[in-house]
Amino acid sequence: MVKYLKQLRNLLLRKVVYRRYAIAEGFYSGIRVRLWAKNKLVIGKNFYIGRDSFIETDAIIGDNVILANRVGLVGKYDHHYQKIGVPTRLASQIRDKDYDWHGLNSTIVIEDDVWVGYNSTVLSGVKIGTGSIIAAGSLVTKDVEPYCIYGGVPAKKIKARFDNPESLQQHIQLYKANYKR
């Protein structure tokens, strides 16, 4: 019974609450999740977003992506902090209709098969390559190579996801055969 209630909740979130966004099947949302995008939010199949996480920027997210608990996808330029004579708190912000500063065309792209770890933050304009993992507590400010593990503040490459090229190629073949139709 609980399983069906969760499925119903996620269907209602996808079809009603977040209907202005393009969200594919298999959407799962933890509690206290917020989604907002000024222009575009596209989420692929089998997406998981953990509790207390939020997306507050334009984003394109692939299939089979995990955002752990307390993950934030946020804009770099959400407030016009260079407005002369105006405190940042009172300056225009990206949510305003007349906002005309940086960040308007800055989108996060997260490709397929990505896992963003607990309490990580990804800034707008970043691309996270297919198959990558972001370690818990990381701040992602630059693009991430495919099939690599990144971590830290700011996030840097730690190592390749797979120990050898043969394992990577086998993973890619099996992933394509089983999940990309």
Side-chain angles (χ1 to χ4, degrees), residues 92-107:
S92 61
Q93 54 186 296
I94 201 158
R95 290 180 185 256
D96 298 340
K97 284 188 178 197
D98 61 343
Y99 182 83
D100 63 353
W101 198 54
H102 298 301
L104 288 173
N105 298 312
S106 189
T107 301

Side-chain angles (χ1 to χ4, degrees), residues 54-57 72-78 108 121-125:
F54 56 90
I55 298 172
E56 291 188 341
T57 189
L73 306 185
V74 299
K76 280 185 206 175
Y77 301 104
D78 288 354
I108 291 174
T121 302
V122 180
L123 297 182
S124 61

Side-chain angles (χ1 to χ4, degrees), residues 72-166:
L73 306 185
V74 299
K76 280 185 206 175
Y77 301 104
D78 288 354
H79 300 272
H80 188 339
Y81 58 82
Q82 289 183 345
K83 199 159 205 144
I84 301 195
V86 179
T88 303
R89 170 68 181 92
L90 301 176
S92 61
Q93 54 186 296
I94 201 158
R95 290 180 185 256
D96 298 340
K97 284 188 178 197
D98 61 343
Y99 182 83
D100 63 353
W101 198 54
H102 298 301
L104 288 173
N105 298 312
S106 189
T107 301
I108 291 174
V109 175
I110 299 176
E111 295 182 335
D112 293 352
D113 188 26
V114 167
W115 174 18
V116 180
Y118 181 88
N119 202 35
S120 292
T121 302
V122 180
L123 297 182
S124 61
V126 167
K127 179 180 178 181
I128 299 178
T130 301
S132 292
I133 297 171
I134 306 302
S138 296
L139 173 62
V140 184
T141 62
K142 295 182 179 168
D143 290 355
V144 170
E145 296 174 51
Y147 298 104
C148 290
I149 299 172
Y150 278 65
V153 178
K156 292 183 173 51
K157 183 176 175 181
I158 297 171
K159 66 178 196 166
R161 177 174 162 188
F162 294 96
D163 291 332
N164 57 63
E166 295 79 21

Side-chain angles (χ1 to χ4, degrees), residues 1 4 13 22 25 28 31 42 63 65 67 72 78 102-103 108 114 127 148-149 151 153 157-158 161 169 174:
M1 177 72 158
Y4 295 113
L13 286 171
E25 297 173 4
Y28 175 87
I31 59 172
V42 177
D63 297 338
V65 170
L67 300 185
D78 288 354
H102 298 301
I108 291 174
V114 167
K127 179 180 178 181
C148 290
I149 299 172
V153 178
K157 183 176 175 181
I158 297 171
R161 177 174 162 188
Q169 288 309 311
L174 290 170

